[in-house]
Amino acid sequence: MNDLKFAVRQLLKNPGFTAVAVLTLAIGIGASLAIFAVVDAILLRPLPLPESERLVTIYHEYAKSDMGRMGTSIPDLYDRRGKIEAFTSIGAYMSDSVVVGDAGAGRREEALRVSSDFLETVGVHPQMGQAFSEDQMTFQTHHVAILSNDYWKRQFDADPQVLGRRVRVNGFDKTIVAVLPAGFRFLSTQPQILLPLSSQVDHRGVERLHSNSDWGMIARLRDGATLAQAQAQMDALDAVIQPQFEWAKQVAEAGYRAMVVPLHADHVASIRPTLLLLQAGGCLLLLIAAVNLVNLLLVRASDRVKELGVRQSLGASRGHLLRQTLTESLMLSSAGGLAGLGLGAIGVRVLRVFGVEQLPLGLQVTLDGRGIVVAVVASMVFGAVVGLALTAFYLRSRLVDVLQAEGRGSTGSRGVQRLRHGFVAAQMALAFVLLVGAGLLSLSLKRTMEVSPGFQAERLLVGHLSLIHKNYLDGAVRQRFIERVVERVNALPGVSFAGLVSQTPVVGKGGASDSRVLSLLDQGGELITPYVYGIAGDYFRAMGIPLREGRYFDVAASSRDGRVCVVDEIFARRHWPDKGAVGQLIFDGPEVEPEEKPFTVIGVVGAVRQTDLTEPSKHGAVYFRLPEFPNGFDGLHLVARTAQSPERLGPTMVKALRDLEPEIPLNDVRAMESRIADTLVGRRSPALLARVFALTALLLAAVGTYGVLGVAVAQRRREIGLRMALGALPRQIGRQFLLLGLRLLAVGSAFGLLGAWLAGKAMQSQLFDVPPIHMATFGRTFLLLGAVALLACLLPALRASRVAPSEALRSE
Amino acid sequence: MIKLNNIAKRYQNRAGFTYVLQQINLDIAEGDFVTLMGPSGAGKSTLLNIIGMFDSDYEGEYFFNGQSVHAMKPKERAALNKEQIGFVFQQFHLLDDMTVAENLELPLSYRNLKKSERQAIVADTLDRFHIVGKKDLFPAQLSGGQQQLVAIARAIVAKPALILADEPTGNLHSDQGREIMDLFKKLNEGGTTIIQVTHNEDWAKYGNRQIMIRDGWMETSSAQIAQRPLHSSRS
Ligand SMILES: Nc1ncnc2c1ncn2[C@@H]1O[C@H](COP(=O)(O)OP(=O)(O)O)[C@@H](O)[C@H]1O
Ligand SMILES: [Mg+2]
């Protein structure tokens, strides 16, 4: 009879055991696998671009200012191209969304504006046609477009003659010059159309450095060149160029440096710790499952020891025995692995529901061959290790003792028992760690959600308008349009206040608000870089940002106010701690220039959170009226405070604006609250997942505890019966088992506490306003684990107390 | 076939050592049918396990067909055991999850035999032991006697030169016991050397030699002992 057949027979003989074992393993593998799919797609797999490991990105750091990290400016591209030996090419890009098609019938599409060297830099050649040329990079010459393969198939029926045809973008006609190969993706975007990243030629000089820093810059490392070389050459180049800049001194003082970093790592840097944390959680769960499985296998240890002994006495070598045990454990583990694959596939879907697609590179998350290979290999390795360990464990007793009568085996089985108890305690400890981890993440999420953004997010509707359109290039036309929009929306029934803003706080694109270098009359050499907003209409009232001092902008008579601004309380306190802010003057640019007309502060408003709920701004904010907004604007957010649920008003508002101007559609209309909820996806998903993991761990630990105590009772029925016959009370017997369970709980919790402390420390950077040791969480975890463990002990204990004394007489 | 020189076996306990076998000197020739007797705890099983090469932790010398077993590495010893010895246990030790035929095939599966050869031998053996009708039954479906019959069949299926049987009839009724003993007799007549342990005087008479063990010491009670053991100096 071969090993396989025997193993199948053994597994089928105990279907309950087999099912629990397979399921346990499947849960562990499925959970780790689902998380691995995410980690693999986001952190491990290279970007889907040729030789992507040589792609770097360049960003500007102003370490000593509040601005932190910024993109690059127009002159940077022109200064750096061809000047850095370590790069084969440098490209710049900016994500955008454009309306493609004729007025009214247009559709909003994801677009990428790219410099002439961009495609060469990322290493993508058009399937047909040519990449943009440098002379197409001006506003006079940029009437060209490159289509994605998908868009070409979708909108042009894959027309082979498409080159030279026209496509309407934001109302302008563009000539199609190329079609991209299928599946083109850049970082987290899948642009349908590429447009030239055009600029005015006279904006390319050094005087424009450090302004409108919103171009992303990428470069390709030359073969053999290192990141350090590239950084050194970048620093050397800046040492030549930067001194030519008018405010070079201030820039240097702000801690400016152009940083060269790997593109992929940089893109996923923010999510990396969270993902690793979750992967650790998944592995912990797998560990619990593994321990559980081994424990289940140990139930039959004494039978197996004897069986292997008999086989040995019949001539089986260690190799034979190993092969046989391995067959069984491998079968079990591969069944678990297969079921785990299924669970993993479901898990990946569940992760999508949890919002994994919103993570950087999240669109790439799938359970593919790699994940499957990892799962299969991992479960095989696991099966092999367990098989080996168990065989070693089984063969540890001396053959003579095994083959002798039942009697002397007792020491061996006590060893098994101790091992199993140790494993139960270990499971409890691991479950404890996961429960605490989940508790801390949930608490952190709760505290984040409790943070007030500084405005009233409920009953607030937000939509986006893009003013990049040939009819709206003129400032006066724009201004008139803005006034009409505000007026129109204000008049809608159900809207109490409406306003426009250059960028909504907290939920702005990529979380980054605009900032600008400003100056005051006596600022004491400090670089002033507040967040800046251009607003129109009743923005403050619509948002519910309270007035602290002075007044809001005059809505009705916008023109009479002159050059005025409103600052928030942080800005006011920082710069005029003693005097009032109202009436003070603010100048554009890093130095007060006598000929320039300043802005007069007319009011102080409450502070809002800028880029992130968890981070109060240090520099505060300054609000300008849109026509005078020094940063300029091409897109605006419309905010409207509504009487009822804001979602219901959405369609009405969209229609009202379409009636007003069909060429400029209102997009992305959603309630502020759901936008804020979106920004929390990086916290909510991990917290939710951790909770799922922790509860699964708790369940597994309960199964483990119940299993071990249940077996202990079953194996000791005779002994219990004997004790009963000798006068033990049922209560005493039951208590004995309950005490055993409590002992395991105590040991497990002690180690769990230690593990939870370490985990808390490791998680610290991910937690908002939560200390690594949070007593209440520890206490709740202990109570929960204790309750579940007690329940798992109670049933076997009860069964023990019901053993009849006559069992003592039963023969084996 | 077997030559034991001054075999001694001791166990460590709290007080120090306890010898459970001492000064065992024994010669067993090919074709012998030896019966070990003695009170419970005397050391019979211990001795049988040493002879059966399951136990290597003893003092003294053990020669099997001239080879020094005491000096062998575990692998060599296991190989010799596999080639020469079949063991019958008091508790039968059949594998519960295998049918009679599968139990019989088990020892063969650990030897390099083709499937067809194995099946031929199993069929042969089933025939010889008149248990063809039981071949697809599991041990739990057999009586104790039948189980021991199968166990013996399993012990001889690989054609060992020596059969060791530790109280093979200890768990059986006397009718069943007799059947087993007749079987041993037949095997012995066929040339197989047999060493059995029994408490039953009648079964002891099946053999041609009887050896008495008390407190780990050998006493002879039969004439044909090649080498006289040193008589106990104590007691
Ligand atoms: N593993 C052991 N540890 C300690 N003493 C043992 C061990 N195995 C056997 N003994 C002792 O060795 C003696 C001989 O046992 P055994 O050979 O089984 O006797 P029997 O003659 O009944 O088969 C007994 O006193 C027994 O208690
Ligand atoms: Mg014995």
Side-chain angles (χ1 to χ4, degrees):
Chain A
M1 176 184 201
N2 61 34
D3 294 335
L4 201 64
K5 204 162 127 200
F6 185 72
V8 171
R9 195 180 289 173
Q10 289 257 311
L11 293 179
L12 291 184
K13 197 176 115 188
N14 305 303
F17 158 84
T18 307
V20 171
V22 168
L23 200 68
T24 298
L25 198 55
I27 289 172
I29 289 180
S32 323
L33 185 60
I35 293 296
F36 175 76
V38 179
V39 168
D40 184 41
I42 295 181
L43 299 185
L44 301 182
R45 232 179 300 161
L47 296 172
L49 295 168
E51 292 183 78
S52 62
E53 68 287 345
R54 284 178 22 206
L55 289 177
V56 299
T57 185
I58 296 138
Y59 67 86
H60 291 175
E61 187 182 80
Y62 299 86
K64 290 178 203 147
S65 85
D66 207 22
M67 288 190 291
R69 176 196 171 123
M70 304 290 274
T72 60
S73 310
I74 301 170
D76 293 314
L77 178 67
Y78 292 92
D79 287 345
R80 290 171 186 169
R81 259 195 327 201
K83 303 273 178 46
I84 292 177
E85 189 53 34
F87 296 150
T88 57
S89 66
I90 297 183
Y93 67 92
M94 195 163 70
S95 300
D96 200 353
S97 94
V98 295
V99 177
V100 187
D102 296 322
R107 277 182 50 145
R108 189 147 285 270
E109 299 286 357
E110 208 173 341
L112 196 64
R113 297 187 181 271
V114 300
S115 69
S116 56
D117 294 343
F118 178 86
L119 283 181
E120 187 198 329
T121 307
V122 296
V124 171
H125 302 288
Q127 178 176 311
M128 60 170 100
Q130 298 294 319
F132 296 134
S133 64
E134 184 53 40
D135 52 19
Q136 289 165 339
M137 294 294 144
T138 70
F139 291 118
Q140 292 72 42
T141 57
H142 69 172
H143 309 294
V144 285
I146 296 176
L147 301 183
S148 77
N149 205 276
D150 181 44
Y151 193 80
W152 169 58
K153 286 183 181 141
R154 191 152 49 87
Q155 297 293 327
F156 289 88
D157 294 328
D159 175 11
Q161 309 295 320
V162 75
L163 298 186
R165 282 181 66 177
R166 297 287 155 99
V167 58
R168 230 172 129 77
V169 178
N170 288 339
F172 295 99
D173 275 337
K174 304 269 181 183
T175 307
I176 297 166
V177 296
V179 174
L180 290 176
F184 174 73
R185 267 184 194 166
F186 182 65
L187 299 177
S188 299
T189 63
Q190 201 161 9
Q192 295 304 311
I193 188 161
L194 301 192
L195 298 167
L197 183 63
S198 35
S199 58
Q200 256 167 269
V201 176
D202 58 3
H203 283 180
R204 296 174 186 174
V206 283
E207 65 283 356
R208 287 270 169 175
L209 282 170
H210 305 284
S211 56
N212 288 327
S213 306
D214 49 9
W215 283 11
M217 184 176 278
I218 56 168
R220 178 170 287 273
L221 281 176
R222 198 176 290 286
D223 208 1
T226 66
L227 207 60
Q229 284 168 353
Q231 180 69 64
Q233 291 168 12
M234 178 65 72
D235 292 343
L237 182 65
D238 260 345
V240 176
I241 290 175
Q242 293 299 324
Q244 304 168 30
F245 182 53
E246 193 180 352
W247 293 305
K249 191 168 131 288
Q250 284 91 336
V251 166
E253 276 166 5
Y256 161 79
R257 191 180 183 200
M259 309 297 292
V260 183
V261 292
L263 178 63
H264 181 194
D266 180 63
H267 187 61
V268 299
S270 65
I271 195 70
R272 197 184 144 86
T274 307
L275 288 183
L276 293 182
L277 194 70
L278 285 176
Q279 185 71 80
C283 289
L284 223 53
L285 195 58
L286 183 58
L287 196 62
I288 294 178
V291 168
N292 217 338
L293 183 68
V294 172
N295 240 352
L296 281 168
L297 287 170
L298 283 177
V299 168
R300 302 182 307 176
S302 58
D303 291 350
R304 297 319 295 273
V305 168
K306 194 137 142 213
E307 181 209 314
L308 294 194
V310 171
R311 285 172 182 269
Q312 246 179 317
S313 78
L314 296 176
S317 66
R318 288 184 166 238
H320 285 126
L321 299 182
L322 188 60
R323 207 167 62 210
Q324 191 219 323
T325 342
L326 273 183
T327 307
E328 191 179 334
S329 66
L330 278 176
M331 252 176 40
L332 213 52
S333 71
S334 36
L338 280 181
L341 269 181
L343 281 185
I346 296 172
V348 168
R349 295 224 176 127
V350 173
L351 287 178
R352 294 230 175 91
V353 176
F354 282 176
V356 78
E357 283 178 344
Q358 293 170 49
L359 300 178
L361 304 183
L363 280 173
Q364 298 185 30
V365 173
T366 49
L367 190 55
D368 63 357
R370 267 169 80 133
I372 293 170
V373 167
V374 167
V376 169
V377 169
S379 55
M380 288 308 208
V381 168
F382 174 70
V385 169
V386 167
L388 274 169
L390 281 180
T391 314
F393 181 75
Y394 292 151
L395 293 182
R396 176 191 62 126
S397 347
R398 297 178 334 138
L399 184 57
V400 202
D401 296 336
V402 172
L403 295 175
Q404 288 291 319
E406 358 286 313
R408 296 189 195 104
S410 64
T411 50
S413 69
R414 201 178 310 148
V416 173
Q417 214 171 61
R418 214 170 304 146
L419 197 60
R420 302 195 67 207
H421 290 172
F423 278 157
V424 168
Q427 276 185 339
M428 289 187 181
L430 293 172
F432 193 98
V433 174
L434 272 175
L435 283 168
V436 167
L440 293 182
L441 285 177
S442 299
L443 188 66
S444 161
L445 174 67
K446 185 161 159 268
R447 299 230 161 129
T448 310
M449 292 199 298
E450 282 165 1
V451 169
S452 162
F455 54 85
Q456 289 159 19
E458 62 282 2
R459 286 190 291 108
L460 198 56
L461 190 62
V462 184
H464 182 257
L465 290 167
S466 170
L467 294 177
I468 303 182
H469 191 279
K470 67 172 178 194
N471 300 344
Y472 288 92
L473 299 178
D474 179 62
V477 177
R478 277 192 177 187
Q479 185 54 29
R480 260 199 313 282
F481 176 63
I482 287 170
E483 280 164 15
R484 281 169 62 211
V485 167
V486 171
E487 195 182 312
R488 187 69 214 263
V489 175
N490 254 326
L492 286 178
V495 171
S496 44
F497 299 105
L500 287 162
V501 64
S502 50
Q503 182 79 276
T504 41
V506 182
V507 298
K509 203 169 191 179
S513 300
D514 279 343
S515 62
R516 190 165 182 91
V517 179
L518 301 175
S519 49
L520 311 175
L521 280 175
D522 49 331
Q523 65 191 67
E526 180 198 12
L527 196 68
I528 299 178
T529 55
Y531 291 99
V532 290
Y533 296 89
I535 65 175
D538 242 337
Y539 173 74
F540 291 123
R541 288 195 186 88
M543 291 286 282
I545 299 175
L547 184 69
R548 299 281 189 238
E549 221 183 295
R551 62 178 177 88
Y552 292 141
F553 293 122
D554 193 343
V555 185
S558 51
S559 51
R560 263 185 317 174
D561 260 348
R563 269 170 94 80
V564 292
C565 66
V566 167
V567 300
D568 76 357
E569 49 197 347
I570 294 176
F571 191 88
R573 217 178 301 128
R574 185 176 171 126
H575 299 294
W576 305 288
D578 315 317
K579 327 173 227 177
V582 175
Q584 302 287 351
L585 301 180
I586 295 180
F587 297 82
D588 188 23
E591 260 172 13
V592 174
E593 310 212 11
E595 70 273 21
E596 196 196 339
K597 268 192 74 185
F599 293 88
T600 310
V601 178
I602 58 163
V604 179
V605 294
V608 298
R609 293 291 156 116
Q610 306 291 346
T611 53
D612 190 298
L613 273 184
T614 58
E615 233 173 293
S617 102
K618 277 179 279 181
H619 288 220
V622 178
Y623 297 86
F624 300 90
R625 294 180 324 127
L626 267 180
E628 290 141 9
F629 184 43
N631 276 25
F633 59 95
D634 280 326
L636 288 173
H637 282 99
L638 173 64
V639 295
R641 179 149 301 277
T642 60
Q644 309 130 8
S645 139
E647 260 94 5
R648 300 235 310 266
L649 201 70
T652 322
M653 206 153 91
V654 170
K655 184 174 176 305
L657 288 185
R658 196 181 318 130
D659 294 346
L660 191 69
E661 171 56 278
E663 294 275 348
I664 307 227
L666 183 67
N667 284 296
D668 196 17
V669 182
R670 282 168 61 207
M672 183 57 116
E673 278 183 313
S674 87
R675 286 169 183 268
I676 291 181
D678 275 0
T679 68
L680 295 178
V681 71
R683 290 179 186 278
R684 182 178 302 106
S685 316
L688 254 168
L689 261 183
R691 228 177 299 170
V692 171
F693 284 2
L695 291 180
T696 313
L698 190 63
L699 182 73
L700 289 181
V703 168
T705 310
Y706 173 79
V708 165
L709 288 183
V711 167
V713 170
Q715 283 175 348
R716 288 167 64 186
R717 285 184 90 81
R718 262 184 81 163
E719 180 208 318
I720 297 168
L722 195 65
R723 279 169 192 258
M724 298 270 206
L726 294 176
L729 294 173
R731 211 156 16 96
Q732 291 170 319
I733 298 287
R735 195 162 56 206
Q736 182 194 343
F737 283 93
L738 217 55
L739 280 177
L740 171 62
L742 284 179
R743 241 190 353 257
L744 297 181
L745 175 68
V747 174
S749 299
F751 280 99
L753 213 62
L754 189 70
W757 175 63
L758 291 173
K761 272 174 62 164
M763 285 163 61
Q764 197 47 182
S765 70
Q766 304 298 295
L767 297 177
F768 169 66
D769 203 16
V770 175
I773 298 181
H774 189 253
M775 278 307 166
T777 302
F778 281 16
R780 268 199 298 273
T781 301
F782 181 76
L783 287 183
L784 181 62
L785 187 65
V788 171
L790 268 186
L791 210 66
C793 297
L794 215 55
L795 285 167
L798 224 69
R799 206 170 329 131
S801 68
R802 297 228 177 98
V803 170
S806 60
E807 296 261 359
L809 309 173
R810 222 184 49 168
S811 65
E812 278 286 312
Chain B
M1 180 181 226
I2 289 170
K3 186 170 169 60
L4 301 180
N5 283 342
N6 253 325
I7 294 286
K9 164 93 190 169
R10 62 184 187 181
Y11 282 112
Q12 183 135 32
N13 58 16
R14 269 186 223 108
F17 296 116
T18 321
Y19 274 90
V20 296
L21 284 179
Q22 289 189 73
Q23 296 187 21
I24 305 292
N25 292 294
L26 188 57
D27 246 324
I28 294 172
E30 192 121 24
D32 268 356
F33 189 157
V34 181
T35 305
L36 295 180
M37 295 192 74
S40 193
K44 307 180 296 291
S45 295
T46 307
L47 181 56
L48 215 57
N49 283 327
I50 290 173
I51 297 173
M53 303 176 196
F54 295 148
D55 190 351
S56 56
D57 180 22
Y58 52 84
E59 297 151 33
E61 296 172 323
Y62 171 10
F63 296 98
F64 192 98
N65 287 341
Q67 305 175 56
S68 33
V69 176
H70 53 274
M72 283 181 179
K73 296 194 191 100
K75 268 223 172 87
E76 299 170 315
R77 210 173 47 238
L80 188 61
N81 160 294
K82 189 160 144 182
E83 187 185 302
Q84 302 285 352
I85 299 173
F87 214 104
V88 180
F89 306 93
Q90 183 177 357
Q91 309 84 8
F92 321 144
H93 282 331
L94 295 176
L95 294 193
D96 295 336
D97 296 327
M98 291 188 173
T99 63
V100 167
E102 285 163 351
N103 262 290
L104 289 189
E105 196 187 336
L106 195 57
L108 300 174
S109 73
Y110 296 132
R111 290 156 174 87
N112 284 327
L113 291 171
K114 278 195 233 114
K115 177 103 187 158
S116 55
E117 293 174 317
R118 295 206 303 254
Q119 278 171 343
I121 297 174
V122 169
D124 227 38
T125 313
L126 286 168
D127 218 23
R128 226 167 105 206
F129 283 73
H130 309 297
I131 47 178
V132 178
K134 311 252 182 305
K135 76 178 173 46
D136 290 326
L137 297 183
F138 287 93
Q141 297 167 301
L142 302 176
S143 73
Q146 288 166 334
Q147 288 188 37
Q148 193 61 302
L149 209 61
V150 175
I152 294 170
R154 189 179 64 178
I156 62 109
V157 78
K159 308 201 166 56
L162 172 67
I163 287 183
L164 303 174
D166 194 353
E167 301 190 38
T169 58
N171 286 348
L172 302 181
H173 304 301
S174 58
D175 286 353
Q176 294 173 326
R178 185 169 306 285
E179 198 182 332
I180 299 297
M181 291 317 297
D182 289 339
L183 191 58
F184 277 137
K185 185 88 196 152
K186 242 197 307 191
L187 286 170
N188 183 240
E189 284 161 7
T192 310
T193 312
I194 294 178
I195 306 176
Q196 68 158 343
V197 173
T198 185
H199 290 293
N200 187 313
E201 293 287 347
D202 291 338
W203 304 160
K205 288 185 195 128
Y206 275 77
N208 60 340
R209 279 174 70 183
Q210 293 182 18
I211 294 169
M212 195 67 181
I213 298 188
R214 278 184 216 282
D215 275 345
W217 297 78
M218 256 174 63
E219 294 173 12
T220 44
S221 54
S222 137
Q224 305 135 8
I225 293 168
Q227 188 189 337
R228 270 219 163 259
L230 294 168
H231 255 280
S232 154
S233 51
R234 29 166 250 167
S235 81

